[in-house]
Amino acid sequence: MSLTDLFPGFRTLDIDTPEGNIFARIGGSGPPLLLLHGYPETHAMWHAVAPTFAAHFTVVAADLRGYGRSFVAPSAADHRTYAKRAMAADMVVAMQQLGFDRFAVMGHDRGARVSYRLALDHPDAITRLVLLDILTTADVWATLDRRNALRMYHWMFLAQTSPLPEQLLAADPRDYLEGRFRRGTTTLPAWLDPRVLADYAAAFDQPARRRATCDDYRAGATIDVEHDLADQATGRTIIAPTQLLWGTRGNLVDIADPLALWRPWCQAISGREISGREISGRAIDCGHFIPEEAPAELLAASLPFLQGQSQRQPKTWASKSR
């Protein structure tokens, strides 16, 4: 079996944007749902849930810029070419190219950071927002302590000035990649499909893409925080109904109440009163890589939420596919 066999009935597309091509697999019918992957992964991370989602939605599983088979942007001194604002803009254009002006989005890890930036920067485009195992980038840095800094050491390592992390990763990129999944053990987890790992490795073996992922983290230590803090200062919040799901052994294990940290980002001021937007969520019994570790549980938690969106049929993507 090939990677294509894990996405039955899906087509592959290179979608033109002003910045470069966005690679995606597209399948299903109904309201559009965009799936955005995390680090060090590609769209293939959604293989265990995408076919079921496709029974209810038109599913677009895309590679972020710099990852997988999507275009690699150049580096920039201020890291804006890998800011989540730029990555979010890619996805708005790509979805518009497919005929979707409004869509739901589910993101994991780095893709979840792009997803909440989508909701903040393009509120009219997002119908529902599902975030997997993250806090906002500003809140990650604000809550960082010794214990979770050791667990999330790669945030600091990959954000170092070029070419230090790139040179160290080049020594044995496959071992580093696999280490992100082994999480301190000597064997790869049973839930990690070898075909999917091979897709991750094919991208991570490319020096330009390793550099791009480092730039992603450099942006996460600089310009992404600036954008979050600017939103806080001006009171801009997420309008779309939002669901947060996290792993009991994931990145939020030391956060007593993750929803409490997200509520200020999902509030609206009406007159002089602050009213909470719809936000919900819970923990799932797994680690960080929820869509691969606990696909059935993720589907059970997220499908009812996503199906609360408008069932008005959008324009078909097939007519604009390229």
Side-chain angles (χ1 to χ4, degrees):
M1 290 179 65
S2 67
L3 189 63
T4 301
D5 296 319
L6 296 176
F7 290 85
F10 279 64
R11 295 178 58 189
T12 59
L13 293 177
D14 282 304
I15 307 167
D16 292 336
T17 78
E19 300 294 329
N21 76 287
I22 293 296
F23 178 86
R25 293 186 191 270
I26 303 178
S29 62
L33 170 62
L34 175 64
L35 303 178
L36 297 178
H37 64 85
Y39 175 90
E41 298 162 305
T42 70
H43 74 279
M45 68 163 289
W46 300 105
H47 70 94
V49 295
T52 300
F53 279 136
H56 307 276
F57 305 99
T58 299
V59 174
V60 180
D63 286 340
L64 299 169
R65 66 163 66 185
Y67 289 81
R69 298 167 179 81
S70 289
F71 78 99
V72 177
S75 297
D78 62 359
H79 311 304
R80 71 176 55 248
T81 52
Y82 284 90
K84 306 310 160 290
R85 174 161 288 163
M87 298 168 105
D90 292 339
M91 296 302 156
V92 169
V93 173
M95 293 298 279
Q96 289 173 341
Q97 290 284 71
L98 298 175
F100 302 134
D101 295 323
R102 286 172 54 78
F103 52 92
V105 59
M106 175 184 290
H108 171 256
D109 190 80
R110 309 309 288 180
R113 302 186 185 287
V114 177
S115 297
Y116 82 76
R117 180 47 55 190
L118 266 168
L120 287 166
D121 287 359
H122 307 274
D124 292 339
I126 306 304
T127 58
R128 294 251 159 179
L129 175 65
V130 181
L131 304 171
L132 303 182
D133 213 49
I134 69 156
L135 301 177
T136 67
T137 303
D139 284 336
V140 168
W141 290 109
T143 58
L144 200 65
D145 61 16
R146 177 174 57 86
R147 181 174 175 179
N148 55 36
L150 288 171
R151 187 179 64 254
M152 298 171 63
Y153 75 93
H154 62 291
W155 276 60
M156 283 63 73
F157 166 59
L158 297 173
Q160 295 301 307
T161 302
S162 178
L164 175 63
E166 289 92 334
Q167 289 177 339
L168 294 176
L169 290 173
D172 195 342
R174 182 62 178 256
D175 186 66
Y176 179 83
L177 173 73
E178 292 185 0
R180 297 304 307 147
F181 300 103
R182 291 194 303 262
R183 293 275 175 145
T185 68
T186 58
T187 58
L188 287 168
W191 50 258
L192 184 59
D193 190 295
R195 294 162 293 181
V196 174
L197 178 60
D199 194 66
Y200 301 160
F204 206 70
D205 282 345
Q206 302 173 43
R209 294 192 183 280
R210 291 198 299 273
R211 185 269 304 165
T213 61
C214 291
D215 282 342
D216 176 3
Y217 278 85
R218 291 177 183 124
T222 55
I223 193 168
D224 289 340
V225 181
E226 294 170 12
H227 290 159
D228 281 2
L229 295 178
D231 287 335
Q232 284 184 318
T234 60
R236 184 160 68 157
T237 58
I238 294 169
I239 295 173
T242 302
Q243 183 184 60
L244 174 69
L245 301 171
W246 63 97
T248 55
R249 299 179 299 281
N251 283 351
L252 308 189
V253 64
D254 293 323
I255 306 299
D257 186 357
L259 285 172
L261 290 175
W262 273 102
R263 286 190 185 102
W265 293 91
C266 301
Q267 288 178 338
I269 299 177
S270 176
R272 295 185 178 181
E273 300 296 323
I274 297 178
S275 59
R277 293 287 186 184
E278 180 185 343
I279 182 169
S280 60
R282 63 178 178 85
I284 293 177
D285 186 18
C286 64
H288 175 60
F289 298 97
I290 299 172
E292 294 171 282
E293 294 183 53
E297 292 83 354
L298 173 58
L299 289 165
S302 63
L303 262 175
F305 173 79
L306 288 168
Q307 289 175 315
Q309 68 180 322
S310 170
Q311 296 299 304
R312 179 176 60 87
Q313 291 294 316
K315 292 179 289 184
T316 177
W317 59 268
S319 63
K320 289 198 173 186
S321 64
R322 55 181 72 192

